[in-house]
């Protein structure tokens, strides 16, 4: 069975609000830089340099972008695996369902 291509966007992706962009500039980006400097190795595979900061519980599910208990430092392949395998990632503790 062949998949149909994704429909083209009719509107561009909305940019961040000024308030959210200010948060990223003053809080999130410095936090990410500090975390990656302090712990440069992937927390999942323990063999590769971490490049991504993954939110274990997404903001849409009630997670926080700056709660250290909600952040995991992952290499790109591990981050892709977590995203592509949500059930297994949840079992391994790399994703968390909503707290509702």
């Amino acid at each position: 069975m062949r998949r149909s291509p994704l429909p083209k966007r009719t509107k561009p992706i909305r940019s961040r609000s000024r308030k959210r962009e200010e948060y990223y500039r003053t809080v999130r980006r410095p936090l990410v830089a500090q975390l990656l400097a302090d712990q440069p190795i992937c927390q999942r595979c323990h063999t590769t340099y971490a490049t991504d900061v993954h939110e274990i519980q997404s903001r849409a599910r009630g997670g926080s972008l700056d709660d250290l208990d909600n952040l995991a430092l992952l290499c790109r392949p591990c981050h892709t695996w977590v995203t592509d395998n949500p059930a297994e990632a949840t079992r391994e503790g790399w994703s968390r369902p909503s707290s509702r």
Side-chain angles (χ1 to χ4, degrees):
M1 184 170 170
R2 190 169 179 206
R3 287 183 160 190
S4 62
L6 294 174
K8 292 188 177 185
R9 286 191 167 275
T10 56
K11 296 179 183 177
I13 295 175
R14 189 175 64 193
S15 62
R16 287 187 183 127
S17 70
R18 286 186 184 133
K19 182 178 177 181
R20 179 59 64 186
E21 188 55 43
E22 176 71 11
Y23 168 80
Y24 268 78
R25 189 176 59 75
T26 60
V27 177
R28 176 69 179 182
R29 288 184 194 128
L31 175 64
V32 167
Q34 186 64 48
L35 288 172
L36 291 173
D38 290 347
Q39 187 176 356
I41 302 299
C42 176
Q43 291 176 321
R44 183 171 178 268
C45 68
H46 305 286
T47 59
T48 310
Y49 283 105
T51 57
D52 299 348
V53 176
H54 168 69
E55 292 93 32
I56 296 168
Q57 186 172 31
S58 70
R59 283 187 310 138
R61 293 180 171 170
S64 171
L65 290 174
D66 55 11
D67 177 10
L68 296 178
D69 293 332
N70 190 44
L71 301 176
L73 300 166
L74 302 175
C75 62
R76 171 50 45 186
C78 286
H79 199 185
T80 301
W81 181 88
V82 167
T83 305
D84 292 345
N85 301 283
E88 292 175 57
T90 300
R91 278 195 297 276
E92 289 185 15
W94 301 110
S95 287
R96 200 174 14 219
S98 61
S99 56
R100 294 179 203 168

